[in-house]
Amino acid sequence: MAIRNIREMGDSVLTKRSKEVTEVTPKIAELINDMLETMYDAQGVGLAAVQVGILKRIVVIDVSPEGDDPIVLINPEIIETSGSQTGEEGCLSLPGKSGVVTRPNYVKVKAYDEEMNEIVYEGTELLARAFCHEIDHLDGHMYVEKVEGSLHDSRHSE
Ligand code: NI
């Protein structure tokens, strides 16, 4: 496992669409492990592969307070949303900043796990926000496109 360099806003890779994963090769398994290590090291709650410069549809998320409940999503798709929440959001690709973004309060995601078995996750509040934020990265979008008002300084990041 290794900590990878996190790309920051302004790096053109972050605006590109990531490609579907067809097979979890040893190289992709290593990427997933590195993404988890990189996310925990940076004290984030989510990281998309594009943020370490790899244009593959892979996301890792951990919103648990202890950081011991990782979720790995391969080729994730949002299949249902409801409600709305408005709150602070940040990103490891824009360190030290946050802004107010409105997201659904409930999100259901279909994805594949590391064995390429289909899985469905449901999340509310922070987890729902993280699903939306990270899946946006896979389509080349950053939360700053959705910020209401202006960005400000923060210690939180996703
Ligand atoms: Ni982000």
Side-chain angles (χ1 to χ4, degrees), residues 51 90-93 133-134 137 158:
Q51 291 180 274
C91 180
L92 293 175
S93 293
H133 177 112
E134 301 307 332
H137 273 302
E158 275 167 25

Side-chain angles (χ1 to χ4, degrees), residues 44-113:
V45 300
L47 189 73
V50 61
Q51 291 180 274
V52 294
I54 308 288
L55 287 165
K56 294 198 181 295
R57 300 186 82 79
I58 303 170
V59 159
V60 296
I61 291 172
D62 191 339
V63 298
S64 69
E66 287 80 26
D68 58 0
D69 191 16
I71 293 173
V72 175
L73 303 172
I74 296 172
N75 303 337
E77 280 176 62
I78 293 174
I79 54 173
E80 198 180 322
T81 64
S82 68
S84 91
Q85 57 174 321
T86 298
E88 291 290 325
E89 196 161 317
C91 180
L92 293 175
S93 293
L94 190 55
K97 297 286 178 192
S98 70
V100 173
V101 180
T102 297
R103 301 281 195 185
N105 197 49
Y106 165 86
V107 175
K108 190 183 212 177
V109 172
K110 185 189 88 169
Y112 295 87
D113 67 13

Side-chain angles (χ1 to χ4, degrees), residues 16-70:
K16 296 191 172 136
R17 186 185 181 276
S18 296
K19 299 213 165 53
E20 275 74 17
V21 173
T22 53
E23 187 191 356
V24 179
T25 59
K27 202 173 162 185
I28 288 187
E30 185 185 358
L31 168 66
I32 291 168
N33 285 333
D34 288 355
M35 285 171 64
L36 285 164
E37 191 174 356
T38 303
M39 174 182 73
Y40 289 127
D41 176 69
Q43 297 182 299
V45 300
L47 189 73
V50 61
Q51 291 180 274
V52 294
I54 308 288
L55 287 165
K56 294 198 181 295
R57 300 186 82 79
I58 303 170
V59 159
V60 296
I61 291 172
D62 191 339
V63 298
S64 69
E66 287 80 26
D68 58 0
D69 191 16

Side-chain angles (χ1 to χ4, degrees), residues 96-152:
K97 297 286 178 192
S98 70
V100 173
V101 180
T102 297
R103 301 281 195 185
N105 197 49
Y106 165 86
V107 175
K108 190 183 212 177
V109 172
K110 185 189 88 169
Y112 295 87
D113 67 13
E114 291 166 272
E115 282 77 48
M116 290 306 273
N117 296 312
E118 193 174 302
I119 40 167
V120 172
Y121 283 103
E122 292 177 292
T124 60
E125 300 175 357
L126 180 57
L127 183 55
R129 181 177 292 282
F131 285 148
C132 296
H133 177 112
E134 301 307 332
I135 292 170
D136 276 354
H137 273 302
L138 302 183
D139 294 316
H141 295 296
M142 293 272 296
Y143 80 97
V144 296
E145 298 164 40
K146 295 179 173 161
V147 163
E148 298 155 29
S150 54
L151 289 169
H152 43 265

